[in-house]
Amino acid sequence: MPVDYLKETPSQTAGPYVHIGALPSVAGLPVRTQEQLHVVAGAASAGERIRLEGIVLDGSGAPVKDAVLEIWQADGTGRYNAPGFFGWGRAAADFKTGEWFFETVKPGATPWRDGRMQAPHISVLIFARGINIHLHTRAYFSDEAEANAADPVLRAIEQRHRVDTLIAERGARGGQIVYRFEIRLQDDAQETVFFDM
Amino acid sequence: MSGGDFVRRDRAWHPPAFTPQYKTSVLRSPRRALLSLEQSVGEKTGPVFTPDRLDPLDNDLLANFQTGGSPIGERIILHGRVLDEFARPVPNTLIEIWQANAAGRYRHVNDGYLAPLDPHFGGCGRALTDGEGRYHFRTVKPGPYPWRNNGSDWRAAHIHVSVFGEAFAQRLVTQLYFEGDPLIPLCPIVNTIPDPLAIDLLIARLDMGEMVPFDCLAYRFDVVLRGRRSTWFENRPEGN
């Protein structure tokens, strides 16, 4: 018999009412109303201010309007858990449109295991009704073509056309830098790459 | 960053993404295989939640809706430990819960179940584990409720549980059930989990040792997160 360890607690869907626990004011509870978990960048955070926004689409192309997303990222200099930068955020899809957004900074490059650098990216987790175990993906940045081409994670994607599913497109609106990141849960051609890491 | 990689997730132990008996999963499940890669700094770190982010009543769902009254229902203490697969406690980590009230109704703008809201119950709680991975909440036992899946299926009474651990790789969201509930084996969401031994880990046990006399019963629920390997013979570049 192999050595016996504890087994990880199995996952269950976050369900349609995840907002009560995760973002109670979105659920309509008059509590924690000052919390702005989708605002990741503070006054002292190092890096270029950006808005990361998008939508989660299901296998029929319909928006997933009850999704909750979490992000985790380095600051603008590539440091996780940096002073003055919490690095974690949480946002809900809009109940009417499915659109979500974070206010944050563009992260710097971070090291891969062998000392090579990873292209700047934000880790994204997706929770929703119908998702039995949260999905894990990454948002990279369209203006980092050179770094993306050398990124060890993006290079591991065998079907090269699927690399595009991890690239957030840079644009501008009202004087603000906006990156758009659309997540396709299920798609014949352009299903988002999800990780087991 | 301290410590080695986290033990791989046993994906056959967790529910698969595609579980047609739970209909919503049909269009929300990826068809492509997950891309399996080694962990780097972003997976091996995570947010550090400090006590100043929490309110003293956050773990007391009998009081934290702040109406001055007490909710209807079976008063319970919910407590346990957060451990990793090597049975090491996970200290100072955030655990969040949410639940329906004793009648099975959620305080959520999208819940239209005919059972009544409780004016004194919100259903939202959070806590940090102590130095030995312990947590505790006070709440009411939630009621079962119907949902549109196969006609009117019924959810077994449950509390949703979210745990962070020390790194994003350990993130876990699940649901706990209550010992003895006859709806557990009938619940399509419980049954997304293939192994009965795994389902058994989601069942909170009646804990008469921790009940408060003439006040409330207690249930115990331990959470196990992915374990972190040792790095005895590993020699990797700085920054890993």
Side-chain angles (χ1 to χ4, degrees):
Chain A
M1 284 286 284
V3 172
D4 210 18
Y5 294 107
L6 298 180
K7 291 292 286 183
E8 188 186 11
T9 301
S11 174
Q12 291 268 262
T13 180
Y17 307 122
V18 52
H19 314 87
I20 296 172
L23 296 156
S25 60
V26 174
L29 273 71
V31 302
R32 303 188 201 162
T33 46
Q34 293 81 27
E35 278 191 350
Q36 298 273 300
L37 299 182
H38 64 287
V39 179
V40 180
S45 309
E48 180 187 27
R49 295 305 166 102
I50 64 166
R51 173 180 166 115
L52 178 70
E53 66 174 30
I55 195 165
V56 181
L57 301 171
D58 74 11
S60 75
V64 176
K65 298 174 182 175
D66 50 11
V68 165
L69 291 90
E70 290 181 357
I71 62 173
W72 174 238
Q73 64 167 97
D75 73 356
T77 67
R79 292 174 303 170
Y80 286 91
N81 299 115
F85 186 68
F86 193 58
W88 175 84
R90 178 185 273 166
D94 184 273
F95 289 151
K96 290 193 176 68
T97 64
E99 293 278 336
W100 51 263
F101 71 96
F102 292 92
E103 303 283 348
T104 184
V105 297
K106 186 178 172 190
T110 53
W112 183 245
R113 302 169 64 84
D114 58 7
R116 279 184 291 166
M117 295 308 280
Q118 304 183 80
H121 64 273
I122 294 177
S123 293
V124 181
L125 303 186
I126 303 131
F127 304 87
R129 175 175 66 101
I131 294 178
N132 289 325
I133 178 165
H134 62 272
L135 297 167
H136 172 191
T137 188
R138 285 181 171 192
Y140 288 81
F141 299 93
S142 64
D143 54 318
E144 296 282 347
E146 196 176 326
N148 291 344
D151 181 81
V153 171
L154 292 179
R155 287 170 68 99
I157 299 171
E158 185 181 346
Q159 295 83 18
R160 298 307 298 165
H161 70 280
R162 295 187 68 210
V163 172
D164 294 342
T165 69
L166 301 188
I167 312 290
E169 195 62 37
R170 185 180 175 104
R173 191 192 309 126
Q176 188 181 28
I177 302 300
V178 178
Y179 285 92
R180 181 145 188 102
F181 187 58
E182 298 196 343
I183 298 167
R184 289 174 178 77
L185 298 182
Q186 185 189 97
D187 190 273
D188 281 342
Q190 288 293 82
E191 183 173 298
T192 297
V193 174
F194 298 108
F195 297 106
D196 183 17
M197 290 172 90
Chain B
M1 186 185 5
S2 62
D5 288 358
F6 290 91
V7 174
R8 295 219 72 87
R9 256 194 174 117
D10 180 355
R11 294 274 168 178
W13 179 254
H14 289 280
F18 178 69
T19 49
Q21 77 273 22
Y22 173 26
K23 292 181 180 177
T24 313
S25 75
V26 171
L27 284 174
R28 294 184 171 192
S29 44
R31 287 291 182 271
R32 305 287 178 264
L34 301 178
L35 180 58
S36 194
L37 288 175
E38 298 302 301
Q39 296 145 19
S40 62
V41 55
E43 289 76 43
K44 293 160 75 170
T45 54
V48 178
F49 295 94
T50 46
D52 58 287
R53 295 179 70 98
L54 277 65
D55 183 271
L57 286 178
D58 275 355
N59 72 338
D60 187 356
L61 284 73
L62 294 187
N64 71 13
F65 205 51
Q66 308 227 11
T67 54
S70 210
I72 300 286
E74 186 179 331
R75 298 160 62 86
I76 62 169
I77 283 172
L78 172 67
H79 77 105
R81 294 182 80 190
V82 180
L83 306 168
D84 76 6
E85 289 168 290
F86 301 116
R88 290 187 284 243
V90 181
N92 312 315
T93 196
L94 184 67
I95 177 165
E96 301 167 298
I97 65 170
W98 63 100
Q99 62 169 98
N101 67 25
R105 174 80 183 269
Y106 284 95
R107 187 173 287 279
H108 189 290
V109 291
N110 294 339
D111 187 6
Y113 179 36
L114 57 79
L117 286 171
D118 184 324
H120 304 302
F121 191 70
C124 164
R126 60 184 172 181
L128 291 173
T129 59
D130 71 11
E132 290 167 318
R134 292 195 194 89
Y135 73 88
H136 60 275
F137 293 97
R138 193 167 70 149
T139 186
V140 295
K141 195 171 172 184
Y145 60 84
W147 59 301
R148 192 175 287 115
N149 187 55
N150 289 295
S152 180
D153 283 329
W154 286 80
R155 290 302 324 276
H158 62 277
I159 295 178
H160 296 265
V161 180
S162 154
V163 189
F164 279 79
E166 62 183 89
F168 229 38
Q170 286 182 308
R171 190 82 178 84
L172 180 76
V173 172
T174 189
Q175 302 180 29
L176 69 80
Y177 304 95
F178 292 90
E179 179 177 12
D181 184 345
L183 290 168
I184 293 171
L186 305 181
C187 177
I189 289 178
V190 171
N191 289 327
T192 60
I193 298 172
D195 189 331
L197 294 174
I199 292 173
D200 201 51
L201 295 185
L202 296 184
I203 297 176
R205 307 285 161 182
L206 181 66
D207 183 351
M208 293 305 282
E210 289 291 355
M211 66 92 175
V212 182
F214 306 106
D215 183 340
C216 52
L217 284 170
Y219 282 86
R220 170 150 182 154
F221 181 68
D222 291 344
V223 176
V224 179
L225 304 179
R226 294 169 72 179
R228 192 164 215 172
R229 287 202 294 109
S230 306
T231 52
W232 294 317
F233 289 100
E234 291 172 48
N235 182 16
R236 290 220 176 88
E238 198 58 31
N240 170 43

